[in-house]
């Protein structure tokens, strides 16, 4: 299994979010070669601004492992994490973050590029075009419906 495989799993989660009229961001957390958590944005459903895919995945992974630290784990997420999610990733000491599309408006690199844990490896651009397309098409549809 490789980064493309796991990003496809995150994209499947993003599609679930889109089907529920949530901003389509999906995430999976992998330990070894096993997916231990899957999540998608649920801020509307849960009426919770912190219910981002990454936050929900972190909680699920910690519950699966029975530990608060996610060392030796990789997060795959379709969109660059925001500063809130990046801070949570720092606190859980995740080993690696792989994201698809850049988030020039709200991504952590814009506001706090040094926020990730010093040992966390971050890689962007995996399946970037597909990850970007699901988000941009979601907002295009929203704008069309308003008109």
């Amino acid at each position: 299994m490789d980064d493309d495989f796991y990003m496809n799993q995150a994209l499947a989660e993003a599609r679930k979010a889109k089907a529920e009229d949530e901003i389509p961001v999906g995430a999976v957390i992998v330990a070894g070669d096993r997916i231990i958590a899957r999540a998608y944005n649920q801020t509307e459903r849960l009426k919770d601004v912190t219910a981002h895919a990454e936050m929900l995945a972190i909680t699920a992974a910690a519950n699966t492992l029975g530990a608060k630290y996610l060392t030796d784990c990789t997060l795959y997420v379709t969109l660059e994490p925001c500063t809130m999610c990046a801070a949570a990733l720092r606190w859980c000491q995740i080993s690696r973050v792989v994201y698809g599309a850049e988030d020039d408006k709200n991504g952590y690199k814009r506001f706090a590029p040094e926020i990730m844990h010093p040992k966390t490896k971050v890689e962007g651009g995996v399946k970037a075009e597909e990850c970007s397309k699901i988000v941009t098409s979601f907002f295009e549809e929203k704008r069309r419906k308003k008109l």
Side-chain angles (χ1 to χ4, degrees):
M1 316 257 190
D2 62 4
D3 289 347
D4 282 349
F5 173 82
Y6 292 118
M7 190 59 74
N8 281 332
Q9 299 300 305
L11 278 161
E13 294 299 310
R15 285 190 282 280
K16 290 178 188 176
K18 187 173 185 178
E20 293 183 19
D21 206 29
E22 297 275 359
I23 295 172
V25 177
V28 297
I29 295 181
V30 177
D33 61 356
R34 189 175 124 231
I35 296 174
I36 61 169
R38 297 172 176 272
Y40 56 90
N41 274 2
Q42 295 183 45
T43 59
E44 299 300 325
R45 172 198 274 189
L46 300 176
K47 307 287 187 264
D48 179 356
V49 297
T50 69
H52 291 194
E54 300 96 321
M55 301 295 279
L56 298 172
I58 289 167
T59 299
N63 287 333
T64 297
L65 295 176
K68 65 181 180 179
Y69 296 117
L70 301 181
T71 54
D72 301 321
C73 292
T74 300
L75 166 76
Y76 292 87
V77 62
T78 57
L79 187 65
E80 176 189 341
C82 69
T83 53
M84 174 186 68
C85 293
L89 292 164
R90 179 187 182 93
W91 284 108
C92 74
Q93 299 180 20
I94 199 152
S95 296
R96 186 169 173 242
V97 174
V98 179
Y99 66 86
E102 302 278 333
D103 187 350
D104 296 332
K105 290 183 182 177
N106 296 303
Y108 82 94
K109 290 188 302 182
R110 177 176 181 202
F111 299 103
E114 303 299 320
I115 200 167
M116 291 284 187
H117 193 279
K119 292 182 181 176
T120 300
K121 293 182 175 89
V122 179
E123 299 168 42
V126 174
K127 300 189 78 65
E129 188 174 323
E130 192 172 348
C131 291
S132 179
K133 185 176 180 181
I134 193 168
V135 174
T136 56
S137 67
F138 174 81
F139 286 110
E140 286 170 358
E141 288 171 24
K142 287 278 189 197
R143 284 190 292 274
R144 268 197 308 274
K145 286 179 183 176
K146 272 189 169 180
L147 298 175

